[in-house]
Amino acid sequence: MITPFLILCAGAIGLKWLAQIWLEWLNQRHVRRHAGEVPPAFANTITPENYAKSVAYTLAKSRFDMIELTWGAIVLAGVLFSGFLPWFRHTFQHAAGSSIWADAGCLVAAGALLSALDLPFEWHEQFHLEERFGFNTTTAATWWLDRVKGLLLALALGYPVLVLILKLVGWLGAGWWFWAWVCVALIQLALMVVAPVLILPLFNKFTPLEPGELRDGLLALGRRAGFRARDIQVMDGSKRSRHSNAFFTGLGRFRKIVLFDTLLRQLDRGELESVLAHEIGHYKKGHIPKTIALSLGGGLLGFYILSVLARQPWFLGGFGFAPGEMAPALLLFALLAGVVTFWLSPLFHGMSRRHEYEADAFAAGLLQQRQPLISALRKLNEQNLSNLTPHPLYSGFYYSHPTLLEREAALGAVEAPEAPEAKMEDGG
Ligand SMILES: [Zn+2]
């Protein structure tokens, strides 16, 4: 039966799809308009060949995204409105019973099935798109092994959590959502602490940066910033891709600064120091607790909304489920949350971009110069074929980092004394 709520859901899915396709189209047009010549700010630093390549890469990725977004919307609408979900649950219950253990299993199975529908796209992206632009280094064996490991991890972590949530509903009644949030938040925090030592090594090899000038320099920089690090880890990012990166992970004693091996090959010592200074900036400016607090707050709100929705007959009934059933409510909530959170992404990405500016400014202050960071950012953008001219609305929605041009402009405004070497030269 078609209810106003179902029409609202269909409208929300359609509206999100339209907005995403429009953003891709807007961005493609913007990039094509600037494709003729290297943006003046980078005329001397980026070769016309590499610029043309970055334009081609951006356009190819965007065209692929349009197809993938459309497929995602079709699958979501198909799954929600065809009666597939009640049928799937019924079939699953027929085979496994209707205990909480079976219900949680049904949710995991539905999740696995839905992500399997994305596999052809992930495959194409890695072995055709990334391959064409020279980024792919993954073998088919690694790719499949990653998927299997991901599935096992989702089972090992997700299944017990789902059982716990469903049990809490039975034990606590109306107030379940708060305690479910407390449990999930504690598990999330525990995972953040142990992920660097227990989960990340399942996918990549981490080795301490070898002793030498580079390591000494980086550790000395850490000490100067009041950031005690026992070592710097190098991750074999080259196992999957030529893209390069650096990140900060873990909490407390298990925190790690990780540099991709690809990054070590692309940057010189001064540039690597500036990257480390930037990562320390995130730590010193308290970005990690802020991000965690935001995510926990979002989780609390999510559980509350879920508890309210689960009580509404039109929510479950609209999709063909009996009222008051928590497992289907969880599934529907997970499927539909994205059509709402999408509209909040400019807010979250705006905060993330503000953090990047703060970390850049911190790095410039710590190093007493901005040139190494600017040069590192330029190299990274060129090597990764980053889009130098995204449409502002597109970057507003999707970019967790400001563009190269924006970062350079912001660094130019930072009050950091220029390099001591340069001053000595000036003085003769
Ligand atoms: Zn950063």
Side-chain angles (χ1 to χ4, degrees):
M1 200 181 63
I2 299 168
T3 64
F5 175 62
L6 286 193
I7 295 171
L8 185 74
C9 284
I13 294 170
L15 195 65
K16 181 189 167 196
W17 173 79
L18 261 179
Q20 287 180 305
I21 294 292
W22 180 65
L23 283 171
E24 293 298 333
W25 174 81
L26 207 61
N27 196 44
Q28 285 183 20
R29 197 183 57 168
H30 199 72
V31 167
R32 273 201 210 93
R33 273 188 190 160
H34 291 85
E37 59 167 346
V38 180
F42 308 114
N44 299 322
T45 49
I46 286 171
T47 65
E49 293 75 36
N50 269 351
Y51 181 64
K53 219 175 146 189
S54 83
V55 168
Y57 181 54
T58 302
L59 294 177
K61 264 204 311 194
S62 175
R63 281 191 293 267
F64 178 71
D65 284 346
M66 281 174 148
I67 300 171
E68 201 178 8
L69 288 168
T70 307
W71 172 245
I74 291 172
V75 167
L76 182 58
V79 156
L80 285 173
F81 303 123
S82 66
F84 169 79
L85 291 177
W87 171 83
F88 183 75
R89 179 140 191 273
H90 187 78
T91 312
F92 200 91
Q93 278 183 334
H94 197 72
S98 51
S99 63
I100 278 178
W101 300 92
D103 261 356
C106 181
L107 292 179
V108 172
L113 193 70
L114 286 174
S115 40
L117 292 174
D118 279 334
L119 285 181
F121 290 91
E122 289 175 29
W123 176 275
H124 182 90
E125 180 168 19
Q126 189 66 33
F127 294 107
H128 293 270
L129 191 72
E130 292 288 300
E131 176 78 38
R132 181 144 67 90
F133 288 91
F135 287 122
N136 177 45
T137 55
T138 309
T139 61
T142 304
W143 193 86
W144 280 111
L145 206 59
D146 281 352
R147 264 78 209 155
V148 173
K149 285 181 199 165
L151 182 67
L152 292 177
L153 205 58
L155 263 176
L157 297 174
Y159 182 69
V161 170
L162 286 169
V163 170
L164 177 68
I165 293 174
L166 294 174
K167 290 260 185 209
L168 284 175
V169 177
W171 291 334
L172 301 172
W176 70 271
W177 60 274
F178 180 74
W179 295 104
W181 171 74
V182 170
C183 292
V184 169
L186 288 176
I187 293 168
Q188 236 181 310
L189 287 175
L191 278 178
M192 262 178 241
V193 174
V194 299
V197 280
L198 289 184
I199 295 176
L200 298 183
L202 296 176
F203 294 90
N204 280 96
K205 212 156 73 202
F206 292 84
T207 39
L209 183 61
E210 7 178 294
E213 239 179 75
L214 175 63
R215 182 174 180 273
D216 292 346
L218 292 177
L219 288 180
L221 180 71
R223 277 196 298 277
R224 222 164 71 218
F227 177 86
R228 280 180 301 122
R230 268 169 302 171
D231 57 40
I232 313 270
Q233 298 278 325
V234 181
M235 187 185 108
D236 61 343
S238 59
K239 182 177 164 188
R240 293 189 182 80
S241 159
R242 288 194 179 86
H243 284 298
S244 49
N245 209 343
F247 63 92
F248 185 96
T249 174
L251 286 174
R253 220 157 58 80
F254 295 112
R255 64 175 194 237
K256 262 187 197 174
I257 288 214
V258 178
L259 304 174
F260 279 36
D261 55 354
T262 39
L263 190 76
L264 288 178
R265 272 173 231 150
Q266 289 165 2
L267 302 186
D268 68 26
R269 189 182 145 185
E271 290 159 349
L272 284 166
E273 281 183 6
S274 74
V275 169
L276 178 69
H278 170 98
E279 295 302 325
I280 294 175
H282 280 308
Y283 175 78
K284 282 279 171 186
K285 293 282 172 186
H287 297 159
I288 295 131
K290 275 182 205 163
T291 311
I292 294 173
L294 188 72
S295 137
L296 293 183
L300 182 64
L301 189 65
F303 270 113
Y304 174 69
I305 293 173
L306 169 61
S307 77
V308 173
L309 284 175
R311 287 200 300 270
Q312 313 305 320
W314 45 261
F315 181 65
L316 282 164
F319 292 106
F321 291 104
E325 286 202 278
M326 191 44 71
L330 266 172
L331 182 59
L332 290 171
F333 181 77
L335 288 173
L336 285 168
V339 298
V340 177
T341 53
F342 167 74
W343 300 101
L344 300 174
S345 49
L347 228 64
F348 299 130
H349 285 146
M351 182 180 99
S352 166
R353 291 193 300 267
R354 215 166 48 245
H355 287 172
E356 294 306 322
Y357 286 129
E358 285 176 15
D360 280 352
F362 177 90
L366 180 65
L367 297 169
Q368 295 287 292
Q369 53 180 335
R370 51 195 141 213
Q371 208 45 53
L373 185 56
I374 289 178
S375 140
L377 290 173
R378 282 184 180 168
K379 274 194 195 169
L380 289 179
N381 271 267
E382 191 166 7
Q383 297 279 351
N384 289 312
L385 295 180
S386 304
N387 180 10
L388 292 177
T389 56
H391 191 280
L393 207 54
Y394 188 86
S395 56
F397 257 91
Y398 291 119
Y399 278 31
S400 59
H401 288 59
T403 63
L404 180 57
L405 195 62
E406 290 166 335
R407 289 176 84 169
E408 283 199 16
L411 271 168
V414 168
E415 280 186 40
E418 274 311 324
E421 292 86 355
K423 266 188 195 148
M424 281 192 318
E425 275 167 20
D426 285 350

